[in-house]
Amino acid sequence: QWQLVESGGGSVQAGGSLRLSCVASGIIASRNCMGWFRQPPGKEREGVARIGPISPATGTWYTDSVKGRFTISRDSARNTVYLQMNSLKPEDTATYYCAALRYCSSRVDEYNFWGQGTQVTVSS
């Protein structure tokens, strides 16, 4: 039985930081492409960051709006993926989801394992 459980969301003021965690079970995070996605109210879900499997190594990717502010990382021993979010802006407000796929894809609809989401609210 697989499961992805996100945590770490909350409410912060603009300029603040949060660290999201995604604990995987039934899925080996280091063997999958692990992605963070977000869905602002009334908008479509979009990719935020992803980290490829260890082998073959495909590195990380970030959407332009978060480059230099967000960092995705993986702790293989804990089977956990993190999203460190710094310099948060009101436009970062969304429900953030963790997802997994055997390979990295830019298409949201290809990811077949999803967590339940964690809310991030950034106030100005």
Side-chain angles (χ1 to χ4, degrees):
Q1 183 75 15
W2 65 269
Q3 194 174 23
L4 298 174
V5 180
E6 303 99 332
S7 63
S11 297
V12 296
Q13 290 190 329
S17 298
L18 287 172
R19 189 177 80 156
L20 306 184
S21 300
C22 171
V23 180
S25 58
I27 300 171
I28 300 175
S30 61
R31 296 182 182 177
N32 286 271
C33 185
M34 303 298 295
W36 283 100
F37 300 79
R38 66 186 179 188
Q39 187 164 15
K43 296 185 178 181
E44 292 187 353
R45 196 170 297 187
E46 62 177 359
V48 175
R50 56 181 178 258
I51 183 168
I54 289 177
S55 178
T58 55
T60 58
W61 169 90
Y62 300 91
T63 192
D64 286 345
S65 62
V66 308
K67 286 180 180 177
R69 300 189 298 122
F70 291 10
T71 303
I72 189 170
S73 61
R74 175 176 51 218
D75 184 335
S76 296
R78 298 179 183 272
N79 211 28
T80 299
V81 177
Y82 303 97
L83 185 68
Q84 178 67 44
M85 306 186 296
N86 299 328
S87 302
L88 283 162
K89 304 176 180 180
E91 51 263 43
D92 295 319
T93 294
T95 301
Y96 283 71
Y97 298 89
C98 174
L101 184 64
R102 189 64 184 89
Y103 55 90
C104 280
S105 172
S106 61
R107 290 182 53 177
V108 176
D109 60 355
E110 288 197 20
Y111 287 78
N112 47 5
F113 298 102
W114 290 88
Q116 82 289 349
T118 185
Q119 179 66 36
V120 172
T121 303
V122 185
S123 58
S124 57

